[in-house]
Amino acid sequence: MPGIVVVGGGFAGVWSAAGAVRVARETGRELPVTLISPGDDLVIRPRLYQSEPERMRVSLDRILGPAGVRRISATVTGIDTTGQTVTTTDKDGRRAEIGYDRLILATGSELVRPELPGAGLLFDVDTLPTAAELDTHLNRLADLPPGAGRFTAVVVGAGFTGLEIATELMDRLGTVAAASTPGEQVRVVLVERADTLGPELGPGPRQEIADALDALGVEHRLGVSVAAVEPDRVTLSDGTHLATHTVIWTAGMRASGLTAGIPGVRDRLGRLEVDANLAVTGVPAVYAAGDTAAAAAEPGQQVMQCCQHALQLGKFAGHNAAADLLGLPAAPFTATPYVTCLDLGSYGAVFTNGWDRRVVATGAVAKERKRKVNELWIYPPTDDPDELLRQADYRFSVRQITEHPTV
């Protein structure tokens, strides 16, 4: 029996696999669950704006292995929804075909990189390798000859990721500069095509964001973007030249390209249209979770491509795929109330509630909340299948987490 195949080793994939195992365990039924991912780790992607990104990962085998999930280290290169198979290629170039009874696509999202002169010089924090490349680059800036722009970083995109990396960079660059050339200017310039900071975050947290940038000394240029990048400078769309060796692109996300292998309807972000149970509309035996799913969070609002919704979607998708296969009732997806917690570097953070992002905490209080989110709440339990399956219940709330070793 092929059972359930989960494609993707991020938050949605991990919790999809755990959710499916939980249903089988509770009913005492035999149900093979396989997770396919090219990497051996769950990358804690929301933390990649921080220093030492190589630390931001947890072994998938320590999370899912004790629960009996089979893991295949390979890249999925094709999906045949008629024959119910996926084609994989491992790191040695060996191809394989794997059948499924139910498929959960949880391959996440990817940064939309621009086509402009010098685009190959752009850094990003979208994946562990690219975040590690940026970290190495920052630590080597001191090896460059002193000069204009040595410790200047230009961050393109004043959305969630752009704001977090820009505010964090003031301290990261400051540490590198202080160790080599005390007193040399550290400069971070945030560039945004829109005429407001955090355009998708709305007006709620905007003043706190502006206050944080001013307090930290992060400059911002609104209504412009990048026209060209060179090794030692960047040209903005208004003709301005900035001396820099570090340009970081954060603007624009889209669903994984594997969604194109599913003959379903996709939204403007490439996400697959799903029904209330997260089954892909019009495609039998296929579910979507995380950043690949265009699911309704509540009337008039779709889920965001964010960690909060990825965890929830995974648990529901795993439950419903298993329930469908075992002849059990489905659990229509219900999102918990939407919140955001935006890190603002050494200034603090801002925590909001609701889709209108009403500010409920700032400064040190919000920073402590962000620390708990980043370092505790989003980490799945390791080496503990009972706790993993307890948390894999789609009804589980973060408030139920007690003092429990997670990493």
Side-chain angles (χ1 to χ4, degrees), residues 7 11 21 46 54 65 81 100 125 136 173 185 191 221 280 286 327:
V7 182
F11 290 106
V21 171
E54 296 91 343
T81 57
Y100 65 84
V125 292
T136 298
L173 282 172
Q185 182 185 18
V191 174
R221 308 287 181 89
V280 176
V286 178

Side-chain angles (χ1 to χ4, degrees), residues 10-71:
F11 290 106
V14 163
W15 288 111
S16 290
V21 171
R22 176 185 167 275
V23 172
R25 291 277 181 91
E26 282 197 341
T27 58
R29 308 276 288 277
E30 184 70 23
L31 180 60
V33 178
T34 300
L35 184 137
I36 306 173
S37 173
D40 295 331
D41 300 311
L42 164 66
V43 175
I44 310 301
R45 198 176 178 196
R47 298 190 65 185
L48 293 183
Y49 67 95
Q50 298 177 303
S51 61
E52 300 180 82
E54 296 91 343
R55 300 180 295 116
M56 314 308 182
R57 55 184 173 178
V58 185
S59 165
L60 286 168
D61 287 338
R62 289 187 60 195
I63 300 167
L64 296 172
V69 174
R70 175 192 179 205
R71 188 176 68 84

Side-chain angles (χ1 to χ4, degrees), residues 47-111:
R47 298 190 65 185
L48 293 183
Y49 67 95
Q50 298 177 303
S51 61
E52 300 180 82
E54 296 91 343
R55 300 180 295 116
M56 314 308 182
R57 55 184 173 178
V58 185
S59 165
L60 286 168
D61 287 338
R62 289 187 60 195
I63 300 167
L64 296 172
V69 174
R70 175 192 179 205
R71 188 176 68 84
I72 297 175
S73 182
T75 298
V76 171
T77 55
I79 301 173
D80 178 1
T81 57
T82 301
Q84 295 193 189
T85 61
V86 297
T87 303
T88 65
T89 303
D90 68 16
K91 57 182 146 185
D92 296 320
R94 292 180 298 234
R95 291 168 55 86
E97 194 173 86
I98 299 165
Y100 65 84
D101 290 311
R102 298 293 182 274
L103 177 71
I104 303 175
L105 187 66
T107 43
S109 57
E110 57 196 18
L111 186 67

Side-chain angles (χ1 to χ4, degrees), residues 1 33 39 62 118 135 173 188 202 287 293 304:
M1 178 178 175
V33 178
R62 289 187 60 195
D135 197 53
L173 282 172
V188 177
Y287 292 76
M304 301 291 288

